[in-house]
Amino acid sequence: MSIRVIKTLKRLAAIVLFAPALALSAGAELHLDKAPVSSDPAALQNGAKVFVNYCLSCHSASFARYNTLQQIGLDEQQIRDNLMFTGERVGDLMKIAMRPAESKVWFGVTPPDLTLIARQRASEFGSGADWLYTYLRQFYRDPARPTGWNNVVFGNVGMPHALWELQGQQVAKVTEHEDGTKSVALELATPGRMSVEEYDKTVADLVSFLVWMGEPMADKRKTIGMYVLIFLAGLFVLSYALKKNYWKDIH
């Protein structure tokens, strides 16, 4: 193989390796608000209520079962009475009746499953929780869109604003800067049933539930990990003391 061919192959390998990073760095920077994620059972229960009432009609959570909600402090009767409305069983997966082909026709794209959405949306700009928390608070009216809604975080999104009755209707004001860039500021044109603070808290509870649903055992895993590290630290101290005692008489 000639030297020229080898150099060409090296260039191609470099392009393949670094092209994704270059493409990523060329994208617009995304400003995300820090999500106040909570593991408090009351917050998770409220998030589950919002999820079932406003999200589960279009988005499934097909990797989670209703009975897993017992881990956030609900019993089976509470789950049946407050979170199940179409005759499901407590052990059923949290699926929806809408067919993917039909939803694609209505929305232009099939609504994604939300079981792992908080993990899937993580990026260099922030966690998946940060993305969801910002996204759900930055819908605005856009008559040019088929649904009448647009979003600052996800431009030209196909999803309508499912929580608009709670938040109200925001409008966008675009400002053009001297360097050619544009910034979008949202203003609340029509108030919803909740104040800004109440809506932000509701979204935070919903995001907390989505984070929990993606890994219900996360808190237990972290606790076990902490005990394992403490055990390893103690084992290291004992091992070091044994090593010193073993080698003290060897010269």
Side-chain angles (χ1 to χ4, degrees):
M1 185 179 294
S2 67
I3 296 177
R4 180 177 295 178
V5 173
I6 293 175
K7 289 183 177 180
T8 302
L9 291 175
K10 287 182 177 179
R11 291 193 188 98
L12 290 173
I15 292 172
V16 171
L17 288 173
F18 293 106
L22 292 173
L24 187 62
S25 62
E29 184 178 357
L30 191 60
H31 298 283
L32 300 179
D33 298 329
K34 184 65 177 177
V37 177
S38 173
S39 58
D40 178 61
L44 295 177
Q45 290 171 19
N46 185 49
K49 181 182 71 174
V50 175
F51 175 77
V52 169
N53 283 280
Y54 291 93
C55 305
L56 196 57
S57 56
C58 297
H59 296 275
S60 62
S62 57
F63 299 101
R65 297 182 185 276
Y66 286 99
N67 56 10
T68 59
L69 300 180
Q70 294 178 82
Q71 297 179 28
I72 61 174
L74 298 173
D75 58 40
E76 288 193 5
Q77 194 60 46
Q78 289 174 320
I79 295 172
R80 289 193 188 94
D81 293 343
N82 302 298
L83 301 176
M84 302 176 69
F85 310 116
T86 57
E88 309 98 328
R89 293 173 297 181
V90 176
D92 286 347
L93 294 168
M94 301 176 74
K95 293 184 175 181
I96 58 174
M98 184 170 58
R99 297 183 178 89
E102 294 175 345
S103 63
K104 189 172 183 179
V105 173
W106 296 333
F107 301 111
V109 63
T110 302
D113 187 283
L114 296 184
T115 315
L116 303 175
I117 193 66
R119 301 171 69 178
Q120 294 167 341
R121 284 295 179 180
S123 69
E124 74 276 19
F125 302 114
S127 68
D130 296 340
W131 191 93
L132 290 167
Y133 181 68
T134 309
Y135 168 73
L136 291 171
R137 293 159 51 247
Q138 294 201 358
F139 274 93
Y140 63 91
R141 274 295 183 186
D142 186 355
R145 297 296 302 156
T147 63
W149 295 97
N150 210 328
N151 193 282
V152 175
V153 175
F154 193 156
N156 298 325
V157 65
M159 172 181 162
H161 188 13
L163 304 176
W164 74 271
E165 291 182 326
L166 304 180
Q167 183 187 28
Q169 301 184 50
Q170 297 186 124
V171 294
K173 290 193 174 183
V174 180
T175 302
E176 296 187 5
H177 303 284
E178 294 181 356
D179 59 359
T181 60
K182 296 180 179 179
S183 61
V184 179
L186 299 183
E187 293 184 0
L188 187 62
T190 306
R193 298 207 305 261
M194 294 181 174
S195 67
V196 175
E197 292 75 16
E198 290 172 337
Y199 180 74
D200 288 351
K201 176 63 169 59
T202 298
V203 171
D205 291 347
L206 173 58
V207 171
S208 296
F209 175 74
L210 292 173
V211 170
W212 172 85
M213 186 167 58
E215 192 181 359
M217 301 299 292
D219 287 342
K220 186 174 182 179
R221 170 178 58 78
K222 293 174 183 177
T223 301
I224 293 174
M226 180 183 67
Y227 285 125
V228 169
L229 290 175
I230 293 173
F231 170 78
L232 291 175
L235 182 63
F236 171 79
V237 172
L238 293 174
S239 299
Y240 183 74
L242 179 63
K243 174 257 182 188
K244 288 191 66 176
N245 185 67
Y246 183 79
W247 287 96
K248 68 180 181 180
D249 296 325
I250 300 177
H251 302 286

